[in-house]
Amino acid sequence: MLPPALSPFTSFWRLWRSLVILTGKPWLPPSVRQAEMSNAKERKHAKKMRNQPTNVTLSSGFVADRSVKHHNGGGKPFRAQKQESFSGTSRQRQTRMTHYSPPEPDVNEQSSSKVTFNKKGGWKAGPEGTSQEIPKYITASTFAQARAAEISAMLKAVTQKSSNSLVFQTLPRHMRRRAMSHNVKRLPRRLQEIAQKEAEKAVHQKKEHSKNKCHKARRCHINRVLEFNRRQKKNIWLETHIWHAKRFHMVKKWGYCLGERPTVKSHRACYRAMTNRCLLQDLSYYCCLELKGKEEEILKALSPMCSIDTGLTFAAVHCLSGKRQGSLMLYRANKYPREVLGPVTFIWKSERSPGDPSENRQLWIWLHPTLKQDILEEIKVVCQCTEPTKSTVCISDPLLTPNQEKSQTKLPDEKIGKKRKWKDDGENAKPIKKFIGDGTRDPHQLYSWISPTTGILISDLTMEMNRFRLIGPLSHSILTEAVKAAAVHTGEDTENTPHRWWTETCKNPDSVSLHHRQEAIFALLGDNEKVRQLLLEGVPVECTHSFIWNQAISKSVTENKISDQDLNWKRSELLVPGSQLVLGPHESKIPLLLIQQPGKVTGDDRRGWGSGWDVLLPKGWGMAFWIPLIYRGARVGGLKEAIMHSQYKRSPYIPGDFPDCPAGILFAKEQAKNLLEKYKRRPPAKRPNYVKLGTLAPFCCPWEQLTRDWELRAQAQEESSVASSPSGEESDWRGDEVPCAPTPEKTHQVSDAMGTSLHACSEPRGRMDTECPAQMGTEWATGQDAARRHLCVLRSRASLKQLSAWCGPSSEDSRAARQVPSGGQQELTREACLSLLDRFPRALVWVSLSLLRKGSPEPHAMICVPAKEDFLQLSQDRLYCGPQESKHSDPFKSKIRKQKEKKKLEKRQNQGHTVSEGLEAGHTMAEHQAPTLGLWSGPLPDVTSHCSRVLLGFVTQGDFSMAVGCGEALGFVSLTGLLDMLSNQPAGERGLVLLRPPASLQYRFARIAIEV
Amino acid sequence: MVRFKHRYLLCEVVSDDPRCRLSLDDRVLGGLVRDTIARVHGTFGAAASSIGFAVRYLNAYTGIVLLRCRKEFYQLVWSALPFITYLENKGHHYPCFLNTLHVGGTIRTCQKFLIQYNRRQLLILLQNCTDEGEREAIQKSVTRSCLLEEESGEEDLSDGGEEAAEAME
């Protein structure tokens, strides 16, 4: 667009100039251009014909006479002649032959046919009465000359390579060899010279090696370690990185390099491994926070962060004893049910002397790396830990006394020594150390904090341990086969081994007996029957002891790891190759901690699916365990398999399925960005037009708006019902009505005095209503209102149980009858709904959906409420697939087109003048956020009622389920919407919803279920 | 491969009249063949064979001519060649005829054939030669072509060299 101040004349001038510039080169009359073009064509043709022999006519011999007509025989014959002349043949022949080759003037002079042929008495008489002589008869020698010249010309033409192919490509297939283009000597000798030339040409084009070292030097061990250390400075490598990088698609995520999925096709194989065999995952990237201090202090500090409402807390009896691992949701202190920080698992170190409150306890909290920052900060706040301390690693050295270890009876299973150890002085002298653990960590930075008031010590143990996860029924046997219990030292010859801690332990009869008990329990794992029993009863508390809790021992084990090189050296010295290497007392003893994972714990079907073991081992030992586990038959999965695992477990995946925690929001944003980018890469005609499909948000789920719209909807309904029965009680389900607010941007107060107890309160539909709580008067209202700003996910177990009972079709009387007396369930009444909504306004509910018939759901599919006629049709026709959404119109299309035209015009003008650049730049900037064709631009309208069926929620994970044999999806729905739908649906069809993928118009029936 | 397939006719112009050679020219020859085709095969034949028709190589000294035409209609061209009985240039008629030596799919095969053919001719000439001086001259040109052959033989990509060697024996 032009600035308005410019006169039309200027604009014309500019337009004209821009035209000139656009053409790219000065304007030329067509004839000139044609000439140029034909020149180019000629050149190309000439290049092609460069090696071909040219015509030879007699007229070419008369150049001297007809000086204008230039001869055309500059090709091969000429060169052939030259060769001959250099080879020193007779002068006579030379002159005779020159009539083929007259381009050089001096040759031309004497090359007239007169001279030549007169001498030889050859052809005589010129054409058309010229004085040229034409030979009367042919002599054999001229005849032969001519043939010879032709032969040489043809030979030249034939031998020259004219095509663009490389030398080795001209060879027949059976003569080709591997790596021919790399190594010239693999070619037949006659071609080597040409190939050499070609290779030299290619080398020039190739990018030069940036490394100044040769290949061999780069591959040498020390340099490789250096290089690897450099490469893991930015993103942390797991210990199994090299192994993974060879077999997996790697991604850089969360500050780590992680294997995303195997390069081999293995989706189904991984599922089978999880179900029938064993799947192995490296979860070492999970972060571990350690809390040390008095039990009651820790519990007191952490209790505001979790709620009994969501299930167990840190104080759960089984977990507190150290017998089991617990899992829970963390919230910001006292903010439940809002401001979720994320899910964590935790494990207590079993107590030394039960019942002693003064004892120092140790608590490990395991969490996903995306959640670490928030949770660590919050824990530091609640524990009042502000003072950084020196690294904890060196603290626990004095603890390394036999007494201590004996009494420290700890968590799950065993400490097993498997590998051998040998003292090696050379190892310590090595100047370059491989990175073990966190390569990005600054060694001088402090990773522990202590609280002066509560005495709690928090340390960040990220990457200090390896965590491998085995999933599947065969994980027990794989574990028992791969790992064996350490032998107890008895002799006295063990003083100089590096396993002093083990020797000390073995001197204590108590710890030896404990070790034997642990060994016995570990042996039980091999037997399936006994495993079941073990799972039911759990491990005795004393046996849950592990030395891995002791930092000093872990550290010494890491440091004294015998190197692979030494080990292999020893193996090679064995008398019988391949036999077992016996290291005796030098064998390494590695403390382990085995944690059982419960697998699927919610719902009725497939309980315990995906259960298995987590193996914790000290850092540095990752590969030593990884390979044996794989050799025992475990299949390895990556991040994608982790998602699949959680999907089949119907549990939310971290961090994608936590829309209310900061990590989840970040994840959604990133995902939306990636998907949008991918979408924009396709041409508009080859991608779905989401506006026409009625999909408002195909790449991200607008949870905030969904809940808000549902709230408004409910309020509108409320109003109508309030009008009929204006009870005072109803009003606390606060309906500050904005019935006529048509645009979300409307931020001015729309106060609407409704009834007596309703407060005039602004509810800007778009953002938070912070300015008004003062008007609410009561304390309660303030808290509620502040809480209302953010959405939350319903995690209260009681409420979920109730909802889950309501969701099932109540026509199955037996089940409903069973549930009602047992759980004391409430009927689905209006009051019950309202009280629930009151506690959790703007809440989302995690639901699982299974499709009734056809259809495979995708992420971001829409969950909708079926209309009355859908049920009608479904009841008439059991095979009814579902209704169809009618096509929407695209109001943006014409706008985009217009804008494009405008832009084009502007561009031209812009190129003309560069003076008012700033203004134009602003323009283009504004237009940079131009709407994409096929996507809704601008603020979304009411998401719930945009389509013919009312929107309830979105799917976050969905796929065809190999476990059930039909499509299954997981997602969130609005609590308000869910209750509204359930109360309006007939009892027989309760819990039926419609699913629609973002790129389709077809709705499919699905049954909703809430699993607790 | 995707390309127009051609046929190359390697012919030899045989004429008693040396002036015929003098007036041998690609334009003249092309027009002659075209006229003949039109005469023999009519308008259809002329049109069908005119696509892609060209004189690729011509040597007035040896009388060798290389004609190109499309593969589909090369028989029309080929069958018209015997009907050429004279070469017309600027009002002069020189009786001659065309002798087809070889029909090939590429220029290259024609060239290879030509090498072989010429060599054979030289050998025949050498054997039948009686004059001592001429015999020497022929001998020289034969050896020259052979020398050239050996020089280029090292980088010879084709089996033409071997063929030539066989021809020599």
Side-chain angles (χ1 to χ4, degrees):
Chain A
M1 249 196 270
L2 281 172
L6 291 175
S7 70
F9 173 74
T10 15
S11 74
F12 170 73
W13 178 80
R14 204 184 305 153
L15 192 67
W16 178 81
R17 259 195 62 186
S18 71
L19 262 181
V20 170
I21 290 163
L22 277 176
T23 52
K25 45 179 155 182
W27 186 82
L28 295 171
S31 57
V32 174
R33 240 187 266 172
Q34 208 170 18
E36 221 172 78
M37 210 163 68
S38 64
N39 262 348
K41 216 172 177 184
E42 261 171 30
R43 245 179 285 134
K44 202 174 163 193
H45 187 250
K47 196 184 167 198
K48 194 178 162 194
M49 301 304 289
R50 157 184 59 153
N51 293 326
Q52 292 300 322
T54 42
N55 292 349
V56 182
T57 53
L58 282 184
S59 53
S60 63
F62 305 133
V63 186
D65 299 332
R66 310 175 189 174
S67 57
V68 189
K69 177 155 185 186
H70 234 282
H71 114 109
N72 50 357
K76 289 306 91 79
F78 175 53
R79 258 176 265 165
Q81 234 94 60
K82 277 224 140 168
Q83 273 179 356
E84 188 229 24
S85 68
F86 291 146
S87 63
T89 47
S90 72
R91 161 91 189 159
Q92 187 190 26
R93 194 186 300 138
Q94 196 176 354
T95 47
R96 211 188 299 140
M97 290 308 295
T98 41
H99 48 232
Y100 286 117
S101 54
E104 289 157 62
D106 54 336
V107 182
N108 280 351
E109 295 315 318
Q110 54 162 299
S111 74
S112 73
S113 55
K114 199 188 241 172
V115 179
T116 318
F117 293 118
N118 272 351
K119 221 176 215 170
K120 277 312 337 177
W123 312 332
K124 55 175 185 183
E128 287 98 64
T130 54
S131 59
Q132 290 291 325
E133 284 177 67
I134 287 178
K136 209 180 258 169
Y137 50 89
I138 299 172
T139 56
S141 58
T142 42
F143 184 86
Q145 290 292 339
R147 304 285 140 158
E150 197 174 57
I151 287 178
S152 62
M154 290 298 158
L155 262 179
K156 196 87 181 172
V158 165
T159 50
Q160 287 279 329
K161 184 172 71 80
S162 60
S163 62
N164 295 325
S165 55
L166 296 173
V167 179
F168 73 90
Q169 284 172 330
T170 58
L171 276 177
R173 276 183 198 284
H174 69 274
M175 289 177 72
R176 296 199 191 158
R177 294 291 177 270
R178 195 171 60 87
M180 248 179 181
S181 59
H182 172 69
N183 187 354
V184 178
K185 297 216 168 132
R186 299 185 190 207
L187 281 160
R189 198 164 289 162
R190 67 193 163 94
L191 299 180
Q192 282 180 6
E193 208 172 313
I194 312 169
Q196 189 76 54
K197 268 180 222 154
E198 252 174 25
E200 272 162 24
K201 230 186 274 170
V203 162
H204 268 292
Q205 291 162 353
K206 233 189 262 171
K207 195 176 61 175
E208 269 182 46
H209 270 298
S210 55
K211 322 275 180 341
N212 44 6
K213 289 175 190 138
C214 67
H215 177 78
K216 203 173 168 188
R218 266 184 280 129
R219 294 290 295 183
C220 109
H221 182 72
I222 291 177
N223 289 332
R224 281 188 94 188
V225 170
L226 267 180
E227 178 70 7
F228 287 167
N229 286 353
R230 185 188 65 75
R231 273 159 59 189
Q232 51 186 312
K233 283 239 166 75
K234 231 181 217 160
N235 289 290
I236 306 171
W237 284 7
L238 305 185
E239 278 171 34
T240 54
H241 177 87
I242 303 283
W243 190 93
H244 270 103
K246 288 174 183 168
R247 294 160 181 88
F248 276 65
H249 294 287
M250 303 301 284
V251 287
K252 295 195 170 72
K253 250 186 181 176
W254 314 315
Y256 296 86
C257 275
L258 303 174
E260 197 199 5
R261 56 180 204 278
T263 46
V264 291
K265 206 169 138 181
S266 62
H267 182 71
R268 202 169 275 265
C270 284
Y271 169 72
R272 284 191 189 132
M274 276 188 248
T275 322
N276 303 324
R277 285 183 283 277
C278 181
L279 188 87
L280 177 63
Q281 277 177 308
D282 189 356
L283 293 188
S284 306
Y285 62 91
Y286 265 66
C287 304
C288 178
L289 299 179
E290 187 187 53
L291 272 73
K292 265 186 192 164
K294 300 227 166 47
E295 181 182 314
E296 51 187 20
E297 291 283 358
I298 294 179
L299 285 179
K300 204 173 82 188
L302 291 180
S303 64
M305 288 184 71
C306 47
S307 164
I308 194 87
D309 211 15
T310 60
L312 302 174
T313 64
F314 286 109
V317 178
H318 277 306
C319 303
L320 198 58
S321 67
K323 213 171 151 185
R324 287 179 194 278
Q325 175 189 249
S327 64
L328 47 78
M329 290 294 299
L330 284 187
Y331 292 81
R332 271 195 202 289
N334 297 316
K335 286 286 173 56
Y336 175 81
R338 290 169 206 278
E339 307 210 27
V340 179
L341 288 172
V344 296
T345 59
F346 65 94
I347 189 161
W348 286 94
K349 181 175 165 183
S350 56
E351 18 192 354
R352 204 190 317 170
S353 48
D356 179 10
S358 62
E359 193 197 349
N360 259 355
R361 298 287 310 263
Q362 224 174 329
L363 169 71
W364 277 353
I365 300 175
W366 287 88
L367 40 94
H368 196 269
T370 50
L371 314 169
K372 181 176 150 191
Q373 208 53 44
D374 294 319
I375 291 182
L376 184 62
E377 289 306 313
E378 189 66 20
I379 289 182
K380 271 200 279 185
V381 169
V382 295
C383 297
Q384 300 157 31
C385 293
T386 45
E387 279 181 29
T389 63
K390 270 275 172 198
S391 172
T392 54
V393 179
C394 48
I395 289 177
S396 37
D397 227 342
L399 296 181
L400 193 60
T401 63
N403 262 347
Q404 191 101 16
E405 267 152 34
K406 158 201 86 180
S407 46
Q408 275 175 354
T409 54
K410 264 159 248 175
L411 268 189
D413 281 335
E414 296 270 304
K415 166 208 83 276
I416 292 106
K418 189 187 74 77
K419 288 273 173 165
R420 298 125 260 244
K421 187 68 204 169
W422 193 261
K423 195 169 177 182
D424 185 13
D425 304 321
E427 194 180 18
N428 301 335
K430 206 181 279 175
I432 300 144
K433 269 282 182 188
K434 205 164 78 178
F435 273 179
I436 298 171
D438 191 346
T440 61
R441 200 175 252 201
D442 179 5
H444 304 297
Q445 212 176 327
L446 297 167
Y447 284 90
S448 57
W449 300 267
I450 197 160
S451 153
T453 52
T454 55
I456 299 175
L457 177 76
I458 303 174
S459 32
D460 181 3
L461 294 189
T462 305
M463 296 303 288
E464 292 295 312
M465 274 173 286
N466 280 302
R467 189 183 178 113
F468 294 161
R469 177 167 288 177
L470 294 157
I471 302 165
L474 287 193
S475 42
H476 314 297
S477 50
I478 283 182
L479 212 55
T480 45
E481 273 178 52
V483 183
K484 80 175 202 294
V488 176
H489 284 188
T490 48
E492 282 76 39
D493 56 334
T494 56
E495 276 78 38
N496 52 357
T497 64
H499 316 292
R500 213 156 46 82
W501 63 276
W502 182 244
T503 325
E504 304 278 321
T505 310
C506 291
K507 281 179 188 156
N508 188 313
D510 285 350
S511 36
V512 170
S513 74
L514 176 65
H515 179 64
H516 285 309
R517 279 185 69 190
Q518 286 184 332
E519 203 176 332
I521 288 175
F522 182 66
L524 291 183
L525 280 182
D527 193 337
N528 259 347
E529 280 305 308
K530 283 171 187 160
V531 165
R532 211 162 291 161
Q533 184 125 16
L534 197 64
L535 289 180
L536 279 176
E537 291 169 2
V539 184
V541 180
E542 314 87 74
C543 290
T544 58
H545 152 88
S546 168
F547 288 105
I548 199 174
W549 287 92
N550 191 327
Q551 296 268 324
I553 291 178
S554 292
K555 201 177 167 219
S556 91
V557 166
T558 303
E559 276 168 1
N560 291 318
K561 180 177 184 290
I562 188 167
S563 76
D564 286 349
Q565 193 186 2
D566 298 333
L567 204 60
N568 288 335
W569 181 246
K570 299 233 171 301
R571 283 212 183 113
S572 72
E573 281 178 345
L574 278 177
L575 213 57
V576 182
S579 63
Q580 180 109 20
L581 181 65
V582 182
L583 288 175
H586 294 285
E587 199 161 355
S588 300
K589 322 295 192 284
I590 307 131
L592 291 188
L593 183 59
L594 300 182
I595 304 170
Q596 213 265 337
Q597 290 288 325
K600 189 170 181 298
V601 286
T602 58
D604 309 321
D605 55 335
R606 297 189 290 122
R607 273 209 176 227
W609 183 91
S611 61
W613 291 92
D614 274 12
V615 187
L616 298 187
L617 27 127
K619 70 174 173 182
W621 283 93
M623 278 318 283
F625 280 80
W626 188 254
I627 297 293
L629 287 176
I630 290 166
Y631 280 4
R632 299 306 184 282
R635 177 178 273 275
V636 181
L639 291 177
K640 210 181 121 239
E641 279 67 39
I643 295 179
M644 186 158 83
H645 184 227
S646 74
Q647 189 176 336
Y648 281 103
K649 263 168 53 181
R650 301 208 186 118
S651 63
Y653 173 68
I654 313 167
D657 291 336
F658 291 87
D660 49 346
C661 86
I665 293 167
L666 200 73
F667 175 84
K669 256 186 212 160
E670 232 159 70
Q671 194 188 28
K673 207 182 92 200
N674 289 342
L675 286 174
L676 181 68
E677 225 165 67
K678 202 175 164 196
Y679 179 78
K680 275 184 175 169
R681 275 205 296 265
R682 308 196 127 217
K686 301 285 182 293
R687 64 194 188 196
N689 184 338
Y690 286 118
V691 180
K692 281 193 174 176
L693 289 164
T695 313
L696 285 180
F699 305 135
C700 63
C701 306
W703 302 118
E704 297 261 353
Q705 210 185 345
L706 179 81
T707 47
R708 203 170 56 229
D709 287 344
W710 263 106
E711 203 172 53
L712 288 173
R713 229 182 138 81
Q715 280 161 15
Q717 281 178 6
E718 193 72 11
E719 255 174 79
S720 51
S721 65
V722 164
S724 56
S725 62
S727 84
E729 245 64 66
E730 300 268 325
S731 59
D732 61 0
W733 141 257
R734 297 154 312 110
D736 17 19
E737 280 75 22
V738 198
C740 55
T743 60
E745 293 91 350
K746 208 167 184 174
T747 46
H748 65 266
Q749 305 231 338
V750 189
S751 43
D752 209 335
M754 271 296 295
T756 50
S757 57
L758 288 187
H759 307 280
C761 171
S762 81
E763 169 118 345
R765 284 186 57 180
R767 301 288 98 80
M768 25 231 74
D769 35 3
T770 39
E771 66 269 51
C772 55
Q775 295 170 327
M776 300 298 283
T778 60
E779 187 78 72
W780 167 84
T782 318
Q784 278 289 331
D785 215 62
R788 284 192 75 173
R789 283 181 234 159
H790 299 292
L791 78 157
C792 70
V793 174
L794 183 64
R795 292 197 178 93
S796 152
R797 288 175 73 86
S799 316
L800 281 174
K801 260 181 200 155
Q802 202 164 46
L803 269 179
S804 135
W806 289 341
C807 275
S810 51
S811 57
E812 294 172 34
D813 276 318
S814 58
R815 209 172 116 195
R818 189 156 38 85
Q819 277 176 350
V820 168
S822 63
Q825 297 286 350
Q826 285 174 292
E827 279 301 299
L828 178 56
T829 57
R830 184 165 191 75
E831 285 71 39
C833 290
L834 285 176
S835 71
L836 190 60
L837 281 179
D838 220 28
R839 284 174 58 208
F840 303 102
R842 291 202 184 169
L844 296 172
V845 189
W846 175 251
V847 294
S848 69
L849 304 142
S850 61
L851 284 144
L852 289 193
R853 252 175 297 283
K854 278 174 81 170
S856 164
E858 302 167 15
H860 299 111
M862 290 160 282
I863 307 169
C864 300
V865 182
K868 286 243 158 41
E869 61 264 24
D870 301 336
F871 283 125
L872 204 68
Q873 276 196 295
L874 185 67
S875 61
Q876 281 167 358
D877 178 14
R878 278 281 121 188
L879 296 176
Y880 179 56
C881 286
Q884 285 237 334
E885 176 75 25
S886 56
K887 231 181 206 173
H888 293 233
S889 66
D890 187 352
F892 304 107
K893 203 170 181 180
S894 57
K895 248 188 243 170
I896 291 170
R897 193 168 294 159
K898 256 182 224 160
Q899 230 159 20
K900 232 181 222 168
E901 275 162 22
K902 222 189 272 171
K903 225 201 254 169
K904 234 182 241 168
L905 205 74
E906 207 170 285
K907 220 182 196 173
R908 270 183 213 159
Q909 292 164 353
N910 270 350
Q911 279 184 341
H913 78 134
T914 46
V915 192
S916 61
E917 235 168 54
L919 221 128
E920 304 283 345
H923 254 283
T924 45
M925 279 302 283
E927 264 170 2
H928 240 278
Q929 290 139 11
T932 317
L933 191 66
L935 286 181
W936 194 273
S937 60
L940 302 181
D942 185 4
V943 284
T944 52
S945 55
H946 183 69
C947 297
S948 62
R949 306 295 186 275
V950 182
L951 186 71
L952 199 60
F954 293 99
V955 167
T956 59
Q957 301 174 25
D959 200 358
F960 181 82
S961 164
M962 284 181 272
V964 188
C966 69
E968 272 205 320
L970 299 167
F972 287 100
V973 294
S974 158
L975 177 63
T976 327
L978 181 67
L979 289 177
D980 182 70
M981 182 193 82
L982 290 178
S983 51
N984 289 339
Q985 274 180 351
E989 280 122 3
R990 199 169 276 169
L992 277 187
V993 290
L994 291 172
L995 265 188
R996 182 161 77 94
S1000 155
L1001 290 172
Q1002 178 75 49
Y1003 288 98
R1004 306 270 185 202
F1005 279 106
R1007 182 168 296 289
I1008 211 164
I1010 295 168
E1011 299 187 335
V1012 192
Chain B
M1 291 292 285
V2 186
R3 61 182 172 106
F4 286 120
K5 297 208 171 162
H6 290 109
R7 279 287 174 267
Y8 294 88
L9 305 171
L10 188 69
C11 309
E12 187 183 29
V13 181
V14 184
S15 170
D16 292 339
D17 197 343
R19 281 171 303 174
C20 173
R21 289 169 184 281
L22 206 60
S23 60
L24 199 58
D25 186 5
D26 52 350
R27 225 169 322 138
V28 174
L29 190 79
L32 179 68
V33 175
R34 242 169 250 172
D35 290 343
T36 318
I37 294 168
R39 187 153 47 82
V40 176
H41 294 296
T43 319
F44 167 77
S49 53
S50 71
I51 310 163
F53 179 81
V55 180
R56 275 348 295 250
Y57 173 77
L58 179 144
N59 192 335
Y61 288 94
T62 53
I64 297 294
V65 171
L66 189 63
L67 301 175
R68 185 187 75 178
C69 56
R70 282 284 156 81
K71 185 187 160 193
E72 288 79 15
F73 298 106
Y74 84 98
Q75 297 210 324
L76 291 185
V77 181
W78 198 3
S79 58
L81 290 183
F83 293 92
I84 298 173
T85 50
Y86 58 87
L87 187 73
E88 189 181 351
N89 192 11
K90 302 197 175 135
H92 295 268
H93 286 245
Y94 308 112
C96 72
F97 64 90
L98 286 177
N99 187 12
T100 308
L101 303 175
H102 183 75
V103 180
T106 58
I107 295 183
R108 210 178 159 82
T109 53
C110 291
Q111 284 170 340
K112 285 180 191 170
F113 175 84
L114 188 58
I115 294 166
Q116 223 180 326
Y117 174 79
N118 277 342
R119 246 187 221 128
R120 235 169 13 228
Q121 294 291 308
L122 283 182
L123 283 181
I124 293 167
L125 198 66
L126 189 65
Q127 277 160 9
N128 297 344
C129 192
T130 47
D131 186 355
E132 202 49 47
E134 282 186 347
R135 194 182 175 83
E136 199 176 320
I138 294 165
Q139 188 86 53
K140 269 183 183 161
S141 49
V142 170
T143 48
R144 192 170 67 89
S145 71
C146 294
L147 275 176
L148 204 78
E149 148 85 25
E150 272 160 28
E151 271 170 29
S152 61
E154 277 172 24
E155 54 188 47
D156 193 355
L157 294 184
S158 67
D159 46 358
E162 292 143 36
E163 280 172 26
E166 280 163 25
M168 287 304 295
E169 287 155 7

